[in-house]
Amino acid sequence: MKQWAGLWFAVLASTAMAHAPGHFEERAAKVEGVDYRYQVFIPGGLTPSSRPPIVLFLHGSGEKGEDNRAQMTQGLPPWLKTHLDFPAVVVMPQAHLQQSWRDNTAAAAALATLRMSVSEFHADPKQAYVTGLSDGGFGSWKLGAEHPGEFAGLVIICGAVFSTWDGKPWSGIWGAPVQDGPQAVFDWVAGKVRGTPVLLFHGSDDQAVPPEQSRQMAAALKRIGSPVRYTEYPGVGHGSWQQAYATPGLWPFYAAN
């Protein structure tokens, strides 16, 4: 555990934000001519000199829409509502109904909301994390692989990097060698995120996204000596995110989990 903790960024030096509860605010952005709505968790006591960490959360396929509400019902947002002392900015965009975080347009919109929030809240770009569940797990792998070195860590729950679409191999990650089969994709993605700490979570009985995806990604990262920790929940199906986000020590800058 000490070795793992050393791979993450150090605990925040300032404790000022811990004395006031955080809160949620709504935002909207236009990305490539399309309107996107998102919510932001703002730590209590935030000042322009705070330089807090920042987390991008990508929801699952069941939370798509344009109400700027559904993405708050699963995963990290409900956890945040009971942990208002969380010392990081959290950006929670919402994909449109016809989109997936595996799509280039939706992924670009998510990244844009993150970068706008870094600027607005004076967050530390060197402490930017991306996390997601299910479709958001796919999207987290996509952002991590397509933007190597941009994130301080990836927290991916029941995600995947390889699937089939109309009987054809498909990844959604630009440049992935899908024609060479899943193993080649696992190894290629591992190489892209090499050096970035990765936490993986999956239920052993997940029927929506096979746990083999996380198992193989963990194995591929270990083969090249890249930091990874994989947790598999026995007897748990697709909804493994509640347990995952409640994991003690999940966030290196938050001692109270």
Side-chain angles (χ1 to χ4, degrees):
M1 181 61 72
K2 290 182 179 179
Q3 183 179 8
W4 172 259
L7 296 167
W8 295 88
F9 283 90
V11 175
L12 290 177
S14 172
T15 59
M17 289 186 291
H19 299 300
H23 66 282
F24 297 85
E25 291 188 7
E26 297 188 23
R27 293 290 189 273
K30 189 177 290 290
V31 182
E32 299 180 359
V34 179
D35 292 322
Y36 288 89
R37 300 176 69 188
Y38 62 103
Q39 298 227 19
V40 183
F41 174 80
I42 305 170
L46 191 66
T47 69
S49 61
S50 298
R51 301 285 286 172
I54 188 165
V55 178
L56 174 64
F57 168 73
L58 302 181
H59 60 72
S61 59
E63 293 78 63
K64 300 176 185 178
E66 297 180 33
D67 61 356
N68 207 16
R69 292 286 185 276
Q71 83 271 32
M72 306 297 289
T73 63
Q74 300 290 335
L76 184 57
W79 182 89
L80 278 174
K81 292 174 183 177
T82 62
H83 295 79
L84 297 179
D85 61 335
F86 195 61
V89 173
V90 183
V91 187
M92 297 155 281
Q94 185 178 33
H96 293 185
L97 284 174
Q98 71 278 16
Q99 292 181 329
S100 164
W101 295 123
R102 289 169 280 178
D103 301 338
N104 291 335
T105 51
L111 194 60
T113 63
L114 173 66
R115 290 172 175 170
M116 286 186 285
S117 297
V118 167
S119 177
E120 179 180 0
F121 301 105
H122 306 282
D124 184 356
K126 292 183 179 180
Q127 292 195 82
Y129 299 80
V130 62
T131 182
L133 60 89
S134 192
D135 186 63
F138 277 83
S140 297
W141 279 123
K142 178 179 175 67
L143 290 180
E146 292 183 358
H147 302 273
E150 184 156 342
F151 299 104
L154 309 178
V155 179
I156 300 176
I157 303 164
C158 55
V161 300
F162 183 90
S163 61
T164 56
W165 188 265
D166 290 337
K168 298 179 181 179
W170 187 78
S171 174
I173 303 175
W174 189 86
V178 293
Q179 69 281 356
D180 296 331
Q183 189 58 61
V185 175
F186 295 137
D187 291 337
W188 183 88
V189 172
K192 287 293 183 179
V193 303
R194 184 172 191 164
T196 300
V198 177
L199 296 180
L200 297 175
F201 300 88
H202 223 119
S204 67
D205 293 353
D206 193 332
Q207 301 300 308
V209 180
E212 194 64 22
Q213 291 276 335
S214 292
R215 294 170 186 163
Q216 291 296 332
M217 276 308 311
L221 287 165
K222 288 178 180 178
R223 279 195 295 273
I224 61 174
S226 195
V228 59
R229 190 172 73 197
Y230 175 47
T231 300
E232 186 169 305
Y233 299 113
V236 174
H238 190 51
S240 55
W241 44 84
Q242 184 172 358
Q243 291 167 272
Y245 283 121
T247 299
L250 181 65
W251 305 105
F253 48 80
Y254 184 53
N257 22 161

